[in-house]
Coordinates of all heavy atoms in Angstrom, one line a residue:
V557 N 194.7 113.7 89.3 CA 195.4 113.5 88.1 C 195.0 114.6 87.1 O 193.8 114.7 86.7 CB 195.1 112.2 87.4 CG1 195.9 112.0 86.1 CG2 195.5 111.1 88.5
P558 N 196.0 115.6 86.7 CA 195.6 116.7 85.9 C 195.3 116.2 84.5 O 195.8 115.2 84.0 CB 196.8 117.6 85.8 CG 198.0 116.8 86.2 CD 197.5 115.7 87.1
T559 N 194.5 116.9 83.8 CA 194.2 116.6 82.4 C 195.2 117.1 81.4 O 195.5 118.3 81.4 CB 192.8 117.2 82.0 OG1 191.8 116.8 83.0 CG2 192.3 116.8 80.6
P560 N 195.9 116.3 80.6 CA 196.9 116.8 79.6 C 196.4 117.7 78.6 O 195.2 117.4 78.1 CB 197.5 115.4 79.1 CG 196.4 114.5 79.3 CD 195.6 114.9 80.5
T561 N 197.2 118.6 78.1 CA 196.8 119.6 77.0 C 197.6 119.2 75.8 O 198.9 119.4 75.7 CB 197.1 121.1 77.4 OG1 196.4 121.3 78.6 CG2 196.7 122.0 76.3
P562 N 197.0 118.8 74.7 CA 197.7 118.3 73.5 C 198.2 119.6 72.6 O 197.6 120.6 72.7 CB 196.7 117.5 72.7 CG 195.3 118.0 73.2 CD 195.6 118.4 74.6
S563 N 199.4 119.5 72.0 CA 199.9 120.6 71.2 C 199.3 120.5 69.8 O 199.1 119.5 69.2 CB 201.5 120.4 70.9 OG 202.1 120.4 72.2
A564 N 199.0 121.8 69.3 CA 198.3 121.9 68.0 C 199.4 121.8 66.9 O 200.4 122.3 66.9 CB 197.7 123.3 67.8
S565 N 199.0 121.1 65.8 CA 199.9 120.8 64.7 C 199.1 120.7 63.4 O 198.0 120.1 63.4 CB 200.8 119.5 64.9 OG 201.5 119.3 63.8
A566 N 199.6 121.5 62.3 CA 198.8 121.3 61.0 C 198.8 119.9 60.5 O 197.9 119.5 59.9 CB 199.4 122.4 60.0
S567 N 200.0 119.4 60.7 CA 200.0 117.9 60.2 C 200.5 117.1 61.4 O 201.6 116.8 61.5 CB 201.0 117.9 59.0 OG 200.6 118.7 57.9
P568 N 199.6 116.9 62.2 CA 200.0 116.1 63.4 C 200.4 114.8 63.0 O 199.8 114.1 62.1 CB 198.7 116.1 64.3 CG 197.6 116.2 63.3 CD 198.2 117.1 62.3
K569 N 201.4 114.4 63.7 CA 201.8 113.0 63.5 C 201.8 112.3 64.8 O 202.3 112.7 65.8 CB 203.4 113.0 63.0 CG 203.5 113.5 61.6 CD 204.9 113.5 61.1 CE 205.2 114.0 59.7 NZ 206.6 114.0 59.3
P570 N 201.2 111.2 64.8 CA 201.0 110.5 66.0 C 202.4 110.0 66.5 O 203.2 109.6 65.8 CB 200.1 109.4 65.7 CG 200.3 109.2 64.3 CD 200.6 110.5 63.6
S571 N 202.6 110.2 67.8 CA 203.8 109.8 68.4 C 203.5 108.4 69.0 O 202.4 108.1 69.6 CB 204.1 110.7 69.5 OG 205.2 110.2 70.3
A572 N 204.5 107.6 68.8 CA 204.3 106.2 69.3 C 204.2 106.2 70.8 O 203.6 105.4 71.4 CB 205.4 105.3 68.8
S573 N 205.0 107.1 71.3 CA 205.1 107.1 72.8 C 204.9 108.6 73.3 O 206.0 109.3 73.6 CB 206.4 106.6 73.4 OG 206.5 105.2 73.0
P574 N 203.8 109.1 73.3 CA 203.6 110.6 73.7 C 204.0 110.6 75.2 O 203.7 109.8 76.0 CB 202.2 110.9 73.5 CG 201.5 109.6 73.5 CD 202.4 108.6 73.0

Side-chain angles (χ1 to χ4, degrees):
V557 179
T559 302
T561 304
S563 299
S565 175
S567 301
K569 293 180 180 180
S571 173
S573 300

